[in-house]
């Protein structure tokens, strides 16, 4: 239907959903899902880049057991404010540097001050690790101000930027070397360029969750630098130094609770014999043809052990604008929001807190594999035992939670429930035996957070709800790791943000910011749903009415199948006489204004419950079309009996059928007018136009004789009809009687069982809230030239982004980066390892 | 409101006067922002009651007027198909009607109940006669009726398009089954004048039937359907045929036969001499003769008047009912406590 395309016009051009900063309007990529936007009950959201801004800023770090960094994250501020404390912005010291990817302030480290710290050597290792262990490409001029880092993920760029600001400026990369301009290393103020030879790069991937670089110092020292998720790094640490490990772990938890993303840094000194021996295996693995990746991983295991912990970094992942209020509105609308993220549990829970998904009144069920018991079993290292243990754990936990949840549900005043589950447990919970329990439990919860989940699990969870609960689901995400989730849900929404276009390409709708989801769902989705229901039920009604009149006639033709109406009436009924008004309604009908539907998110519940397209609604329409068709047929036919006018002449079949058809057209069009919530000029034009079109048609049609050999049944019929009083009396009477039923029904319904939107209409009937929209209109009408231009640019055909990114510690970290432009053009020695892990992700194609 | 560009967007740095957006683009803007001006009708109880009351007030008088018109019509209906068969053939009507040697004359006396003012219309009424049967309705050629033999393709007329290898004019089942009972009326001893002209719609006569098309090879086949036509009268003047060819909508229908141009007084008895040619016995049809006067609305048909009056009264009734309910049990307009979410929470 044409209307869907028109709906996309609205979504794409809505100024409310236009993000000026990134110059992106909303984009509807499919046109047939608009109505599902109005019925979404479950939203599956990615965290990174969706709820959060994906602007990674180096925020804090812990080096050798000491925390550096004075900033307060928004999440901390939020939790403090919840406790009732007001936090003032700390005064920025003069050393504070704030650039993209770096929001760190601690006088103890900046400008070489780290030399005065207790352990400058470990600081040095820390900074070198940051500067060397990465896959970032420098671009542009080789000066600290102008260089641009091309990184696979914003985290990496943030880390390298941090190193730059600490005085370890990485500025050049050749196939085998990395050049770092180091300041203050030997003594304060001295700047020297150091060339590190990169011997091997052990690429990051989602199973390894770490990345290592083996490099040789100019003085021949061989070091392996490794950074990665705390869990994997801690497994591989050398014995001893328990203090640092413990303190750093505390710090990690502290960072995590502040909503920061953490990475552990470690290094290992290598002797050349050990390295040579290992390198042989590495080359062997690298050149093997089959299962290269697995072999590479195995080889990497051999060297990535007995590491020495340096410290950890904490990167702030900023929340997007308006996310908490948006989520609050959406949950008021009865939409349940699930966060599926690859982040750590603490980060995920904190983001959930910050987004007001979880609050302290909620009862939390946490099913986690990060418990001491699990760790103990894992330490034994028997995979069968591990899986058995976790499965049992998950099962008992699920059963316990489910029991409690059901208990709470039975008591009316029970608290809202929240479920937090991590990827490892989810793996077992998604097992067919436990799946039902998981579903029951999660449906009982108002919010669910799944952390450490892989893209596949995101999709599994989505389809679990989609298939299990049979509710409309919506997935929103921005990264390549969300693609499977976006495709699994009914409606996929991509955020056209920093993480590239993969998600947008896979999505049905693309918006620039998470908060536009309110507009997309509550306004556009709701309208589309209401309109579509109206259009469909109306189509159903008008055709049923029309066909039923024909049906009643059949009874009186000896069941011979003679048509009541002329062929042309029948064919043009849906094409001309009743087509346009319903399209207009599908486009323009507006029960409550946009601002009101955002102000009263509860209205959205009508969509979730599918209020306007229940069997009951359809049955009511069907009943009235039944009634109307009886009126049309029997009234016109009975009144046409015997002679007419004073001439005594009688009517034939075609006179009666033309009369009936006129009544049908008039009534059906007027019925639509009754169904409208708002009547614009276009409504009146189209409805009167349709009725006029009928008369125009019949005047012409019955005035001409075609040269073709056909029955001229309708010749002059309308003129004959119009010469009688019968015509006028019937034309006045039949539509009124036909609509009487609907009118009474609508009146009673509105009176005694009003829909929510009708109440809202009444509330605002006397003080129409037009101001909010009109203001917008004014602004919109006078876009500044710049804005107008930028808006115009967005309307140009789009190119796909050249740069694709991914979240660093999310399991979806696959080397898209390398597959993008220019990175792998020549065969580089250190690139071989990277190549090995560089699978072209299949879901891209 | 669209005249002050400076007030609206303060952010525009060099507040140069923007040209008024053209009407067209403004309309398009409103379209895309879904912000077209609209009025919002709401079916409030007051509105409903007033609408009903108004409609009732209009409809009742119209209905009464129509009813009066219909009631003023005097009608005599006489079923003759059974009575016009002699005693000995009552058990075997088919042999009677098929035997062309038996005289089909029949005499009926009609008593005038009340004064009938000229013109009095003579109808024949057939019942259980499916003129609206699909095969029947199809079987005609409008082109041939207009152009006669010049129009050769008469395939539409099946199964009555050819006879003895020659085309039939007019062809088709409808024409073939032309009604051929005839009526003449005697008042006392003098035969009454019946006008058989101007019984068909003028448009049919002028445009659908040829002025120079004469019946040809009509009713010459082995199966004789109904009436014969005068081969020397053009089709446009064969008004009986024209009336017959305007097929009826229902299996029970009346067709105009002629007009009596003189008044009939109450209590008078007129004698009808009819020729009972038409075979309705094979399918159990009924034949009736109808004499009726006419009003401005037409023949006797109470339906319109009754319907109007009934709807009008029910409108008023519903209006009163609604008003009573509204007074007794009003739902405050726009009270948000009635919304579903509030109701649910209060129920808890």
């Amino acid at each position: 239907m044409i209307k869907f395309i028109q709906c996309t016009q609205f979504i794409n051009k809505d100024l409310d959903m236009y993000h000026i900063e990134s110059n992106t309007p909303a984009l509807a990529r499919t046109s047939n899902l608009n109505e599902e936007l109005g019925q979404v009950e479950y939203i599956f959201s990615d965290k990174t880049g969706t709820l959060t801004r994906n602007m990674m800023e180096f925020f804090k770090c812990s080096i050798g057991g000491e925390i550096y960094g004075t900033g307060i994250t928004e999440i901390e501020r939020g939790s403090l404010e919840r406790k009732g404390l007001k936090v003032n912005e700390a005064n920025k010291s003069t050393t504070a540097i704030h650039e993209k990817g770096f929001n760190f302030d601690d006088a103890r480290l900046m400008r070489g001050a780290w030399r005065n710290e207790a352990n400058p050597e470990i600081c040095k290792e820390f900074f070198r690790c940051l500067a060397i262990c990465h896959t970032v490409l420098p671009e542009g001029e080789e000066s600290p101000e102008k260089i641009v880092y091309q990184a696979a993920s914003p985290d990496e760029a943030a880390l390298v930027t941090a190193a730059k600001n600490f005085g370890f400026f990485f500025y050049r990369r050749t196939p085998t070397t990395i050049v770092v301009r180091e300041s203050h290393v030997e003594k304060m103020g001295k700047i020297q360029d150091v060339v590190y030879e990169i011997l091997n790069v052990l690429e990051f991937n989602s199973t390894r969750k770490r990345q290592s670089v083996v490099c040789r110092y100019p003085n021949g020292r061989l070091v392996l630098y490794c950074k990665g998720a705390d869990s994997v790094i801690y497994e591989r640490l050398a014995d001893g130094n328990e203090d640092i490990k413990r303190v750093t772990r505390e710090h990690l938890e502290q960072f995590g609770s502040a909503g920061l993303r953490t990475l552990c840094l470690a290094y290992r000194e290598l002797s050349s014999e050990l390295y040579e021996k290992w390198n042989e295996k590495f080359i062997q693995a690298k050149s093997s043809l089959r299962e290269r990746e697995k072999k590479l991983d195995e080889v990497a295991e051999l060297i990535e052990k007995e590491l020495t912990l340096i410290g950890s970094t904490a990167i702030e992942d900023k929340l997007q604008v308006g996310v908490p209020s948006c989520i609050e509105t959406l949950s008021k609308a009865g939409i349940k929001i699930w966060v599926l993220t690859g982040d750590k549990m603490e980060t995920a829970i904190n983001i959930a807190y910050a987004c007001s998904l979880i609050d302290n009144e909620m009862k939390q069920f946490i099913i986690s594999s990060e418990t001491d018991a699990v760790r103990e079993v894992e330490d034994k290292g028997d995979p069968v035992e591990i899986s058995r243990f976790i499965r049992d754990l998950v099962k008992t936990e699920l059963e316990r939670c489910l029991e409690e949840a059901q208990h709470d549900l039975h008591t009316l005043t029970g608290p809202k429930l929240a479920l937090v589950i991590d990827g490892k447990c989810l793996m077992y919970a998604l097992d067919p035996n436990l799946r039902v329990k998981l579903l029951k439990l999660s449906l009982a919860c108002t919010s669910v957070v799944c952390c450490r989940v892989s893209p596949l699990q995101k999709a599994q969870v989505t389809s679990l709800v989609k298939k299990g609960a049979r509710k409309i689901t919506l997935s929103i995400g921005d990264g390549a790791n969300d693609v499977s989730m976006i495709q699994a849900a009914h409606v996929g929404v991509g955020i056209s943000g920093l993480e590239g276009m993969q998600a947008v390409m896979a999505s049905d709708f693309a918006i620039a910011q998470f908060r536009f989801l309110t507009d997309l769902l509550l306004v556009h989705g709701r309208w589309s749903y209401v309109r579509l229901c109206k259009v469909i039920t109306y189509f159903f009604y008008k055709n049923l009415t029309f066909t039923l009149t024909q049906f009643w006639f059949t009874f009186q033709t000896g069941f011979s199948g003679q048509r009541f109406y002329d062929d042309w009436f029948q064919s043009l009924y849906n094409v001309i006489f009743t087509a346009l008004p319903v399209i207009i309604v599908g486009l323009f009908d507006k029960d409550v204004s946009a601002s009101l539907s955002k102000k009263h998110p509860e209205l959205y519940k009508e969509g979730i419950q599918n209020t306007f397209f229940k069997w009951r609604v359809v049955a009511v329409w069907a009943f009235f079309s039944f009634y109307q068709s009886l009126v049309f047929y029997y009234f016109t036919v009975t009144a046409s009996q015997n002679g007419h006018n004073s001439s005594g002449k009688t009517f034939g079949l075609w006179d009666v059928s033309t009369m009936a058809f006129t009544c049908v057209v008039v009534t059906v069009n007027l019925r639509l007018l009754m169904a409208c919530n708002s009547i614009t000029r276009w409504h009146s034009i189209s409805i009167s136009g349709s009725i006029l079109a009928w008369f125009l048609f019949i005047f012409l049609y019955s005035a001409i004789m075609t040269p073709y050999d056909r029955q001229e049944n309708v010749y002059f019929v309308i003129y004959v009809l119009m010469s009688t009083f019968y015509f006028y009396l019937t034309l006045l009477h039949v539509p009124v009687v036909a609509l009487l039923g609907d009118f009474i029904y609508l009146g009673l319904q509105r009176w005694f069982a009003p829909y929510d939107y009708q109440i809202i209409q009444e509330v605002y009937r006397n003080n129409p809230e037009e101001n909010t929209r009109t203001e917008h209109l004014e602004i919109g009408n006078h876009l500044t030239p710049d804005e107008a231009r930028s808006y115009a640019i967005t309307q140009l055909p789009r190119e796909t982004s050249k740069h694709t990114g991914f979240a660093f510690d999310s399991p979806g970290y696959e080397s898209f980066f390398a597959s993008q432009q220019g990175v792998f053009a020549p065969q580089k020695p250190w690139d071989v390892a990277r190549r090995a892990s560089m699978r072209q992700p299949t879901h891209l194609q | 409101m669209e005249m002050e560009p400076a007030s609206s967007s303060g952010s525009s740095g060099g507040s140069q006067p923007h040209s008024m957006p053209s009407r067209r683009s403004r309309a398009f803007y409103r379209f895309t922002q879904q912000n077209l001006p609209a009025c919002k009708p709401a079916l409030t109880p007051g509105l409903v009651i007033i609408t009903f009351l108004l409609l009732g007030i209009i409809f009742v008088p119209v209905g009464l007027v129509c009813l009066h018109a219909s009631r003023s019509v005097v009608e005599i209906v006489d079923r003759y198909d059974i009575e016009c068969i002699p005693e000995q053939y009552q058990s075997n009507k088919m042999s009677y009607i098929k035997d062309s040697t038996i005289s089909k004359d029949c005499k009926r006396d009609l008593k005038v109940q009340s004064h009938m003012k000229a013109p009095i219309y003579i109808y024949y009424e057939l019942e259980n006669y499916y003129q609206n049967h699909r095969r029947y309705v199809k079987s005609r050629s409008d082109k041939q009726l207009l152009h006669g033999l010049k129009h050769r393709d008469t395939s539409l007329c099946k199964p009555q398009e050819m006879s003895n290898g020659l085309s039939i004019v007019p062809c088709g089942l409808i024409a073939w089954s032309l009604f051929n009972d005839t009526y003449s009326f005697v008042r006392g001893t003098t035969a009454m004048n019946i006008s058989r002209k101007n019984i068909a719609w003028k448009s049919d006569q002028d445009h659908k039937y040829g002025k120079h098309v004469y019946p040809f090879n009509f009713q010459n086949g082995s199966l004789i359907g109904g009436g014969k036509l005068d081969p020397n009268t053009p089709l446009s003047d064969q008004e009986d045929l024209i009336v017959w060819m305007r097929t009826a909508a229902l299996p029970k229908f009346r067709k105009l036969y002629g007009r009596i141009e003189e008044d009939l007084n109450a209590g008078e008895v007129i004698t009808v001499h009819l020729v009972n040619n038409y075979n309705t016995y094979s399918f159990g049809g009924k034949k009736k003769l109808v004499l009726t006067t006419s009003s401005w609305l037409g023949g006797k048909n109470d339906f319109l008047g009754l319907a109007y009056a009934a709807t009008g009264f029910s409108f008023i009734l519903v209006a009163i009912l609604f008003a009573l309910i509204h007074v007794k049990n009003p739902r405050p307009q726009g009270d948000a406590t009635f919304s579903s979410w509030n109701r649910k929470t209060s129920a808890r």
Side-chain angles (χ1 to χ4, degrees), chain A residues 657-825:
Chain A
S657 74
T658 307
M659 181 73 239
F661 193 79
T662 310
C663 292
V664 170
V665 169
V666 170
T667 313
V668 161
N669 277 310
L670 289 179
R671 178 65 185 85
L672 191 66
L673 205 61
M674 276 169 65
C676 292
N677 282 305
S678 61
I679 296 170
T680 66
R681 206 167 349 132
W682 297 101
H683 285 85
S684 351
I685 290 175
S686 63
I687 287 174
S688 53
S690 294
I691 297 175
L692 275 180
W694 156 247
F695 280 109
L696 207 67
F697 167 78
I698 188 65
F699 286 154
L700 283 176
Y701 182 53
S702 55
I704 51 163
M705 287 255 213
T706 52
Y708 306 103
D709 188 19
R710 56 181 290 277
Q711 294 196 12
E712 305 287 348
N713 293 323
V714 189
Y715 184 72
F716 242 71
V717 157
I718 192 69
Y719 304 108
V720 165
L721 268 176
M722 286 178 77
S723 67
T724 64
F725 287 106
Y726 160 75
F727 176 78
Y728 304 102
L729 287 172
T730 313
L731 191 57
L732 177 66
H733 186 234
V734 168
V736 169
V737 173
L739 291 177
L740 170 70
D742 293 83
F743 196 76
I744 292 177
Y745 171 75
L746 286 182
L748 287 178
Q749 179 267 321
R750 193 179 189 109
W751 201 342
F752 296 111
Y755 287 124
D756 292 338
Y757 78 89
Q758 292 171 329
I759 292 171
I760 298 296
Q761 278 175 351
E762 286 163 11
V763 173
Y764 292 95
R765 220 160 93 82
N766 297 322
N767 51 334
E769 269 211 285
E770 277 152 23
N771 310 337
T772 44
R773 277 298 271 207
T774 17
E775 250 170 52
H776 218 100
L777 177 83
E778 281 171 21
I779 295 166
N781 264 337
H782 305 288
L783 282 175
T784 60
D786 282 349
E787 282 171 337
R789 194 165 51 87
S790 70
Y791 185 67
I793 288 168
T794 62
Q795 298 299 312
L796 295 173
R798 285 156 156 252
E799 272 180 77
T800 50
S801 166
K802 296 223 167 65
H803 171 70
T804 332
F806 40 88
F808 194 77
D809 68 342
S810 71
Y813 188 105
E814 305 281 0
S815 283
F816 293 118
F817 169 58
S819 67
Q820 299 301 319
Q821 284 209 333
V823 179
F824 59 95

Side-chain angles (χ1 to χ4, degrees), chain A residues 264-275:
Chain A
C264 280
L265 308 186
Y267 75 102
R268 182 189 182 190
E269 302 273 356
L270 300 170
S271 62
S272 51
E273 305 93 68
L274 183 77
Y275 172 71

Side-chain angles (χ1 to χ4, degrees), chain A residues 525-590:
Chain A
R526 194 171 165 284
W527 277 347
S528 298
Y529 166 71
V530 170
R531 288 168 185 168
L532 197 85
C533 288
K534 217 161 250 185
V535 168
I536 289 178
T537 44
Y538 178 75
F539 258 94
F540 170 73
Y541 150 79
K542 78 171 185 183
N543 281 305
L544 187 65
T545 310
F546 179 67
T547 317
L548 277 178
T549 51
Q550 166 74 56
F551 184 67
W552 306 133
F553 179 64
T554 309
F555 285 107
Q556 300 197 308
T557 62
F559 300 97
S560 65
Q562 171 59 34
R563 290 182 178 180
F564 191 37
Y565 304 114
D566 186 83
D567 297 359
W568 279 98
F569 298 0
Q570 271 181 337
S571 7
L572 294 181
Y573 177 71
N574 273 324
V575 183
I576 294 177
F577 308 137
T578 58
L580 197 59
V582 70
I583 291 176
I584 295 284
V585 167
L587 292 181
F588 294 127
D589 192 47
K590 195 154 71 168

Side-chain angles (χ1 to χ4, degrees), chain A residues 125 194 239 266 320 383 434 466 481 489 522 691 760 773 843:
Chain A
E125 291 299 337
V194 185
D239 293 334
Q320 300 242 18
L434 295 175
K466 182 181 171 186
N481 54 337
L522 298 186
I691 297 175
I760 298 296
R773 277 298 271 207
H843 54 255

